[in-house]
Amino acid sequence: MDTGGILTWTLQQEIPVPADVTPLLAQGEEAVASFKTFRDSATFTTKRLIVRDAQGVTGKKVEIYSLPYSSINMWSSENAGTLDWNSEIELWTRAGHIKVKLAKGADVRRIDSLIAWAVLNNH
């Protein structure tokens, strides 16, 4: 699978799990936490990260990324500094390198903790 270099997503604030995520879940899989993205959402489940990306002018075309935690080899987190307003998480996976930028409303330590829980409990 070629992800075209680096995938980049921007997570904003934590939100309730969207109702349209439920049909995407496998048997025995549960949604744990969701975050607003620019046009849609990213949801951490007990097995994977699901990023729903509405596209086009109307947003009716939807691309869904599904990243099983077992494919994450390593990750890093960087909190915002005094002059650098941006926080980010980077994931190195079997599918490639993924950069997750965090808007001001997203808690980098909460997301880092979710990834640690997910990766360390699913390997």
Side-chain angles (χ1 to χ4, degrees), residues 36-49:
K36 181 173 177 21
T37 62
F38 177 67
R39 287 194 61 181
D40 225 312
S41 65
T43 299
F44 289 87
T45 76
T46 51
K47 301 187 180 294
R48 60 190 161 145
L49 174 60

Side-chain angles (χ1 to χ4, degrees), residues 76-80 86-90 99-102 108:
S76 69
S77 63
E78 177 180 287
N79 63 307
N86 300 322
S87 299
E88 64 183 36
I89 302 276
E90 291 189 69
K99 189 173 282 195
V100 181
K101 296 181 180 189
L102 306 177
V108 67

Side-chain angles (χ1 to χ4, degrees), residues 9-18 32-44 49-50 87 100-111 114:
W9 297 316
T10 300
L11 303 186
Q12 297 172 357
Q13 74 275 5
E14 192 164 354
I15 59 172
V17 175
V32 176
S34 290
F35 293 83
K36 181 173 177 21
T37 62
F38 177 67
R39 287 194 61 181
D40 225 312
S41 65
T43 299
F44 289 87
L49 174 60
I50 299 171
S87 299
V100 181
K101 296 181 180 189
L102 306 177
K104 197 168 184 130
D107 181 353
V108 67
R109 294 300 162 224
R110 164 93 169 119
I111 295 168
L114 282 167

Side-chain angles (χ1 to χ4, degrees), residues 81-103:
T82 304
L83 297 175
D84 180 8
W85 308 102
N86 300 322
S87 299
E88 64 183 36
I89 302 276
E90 291 189 69
L91 306 171
W92 287 266
T93 74
R94 291 192 304 244
H97 185 200
I98 300 169
K99 189 173 282 195
V100 181
K101 296 181 180 189
L102 306 177

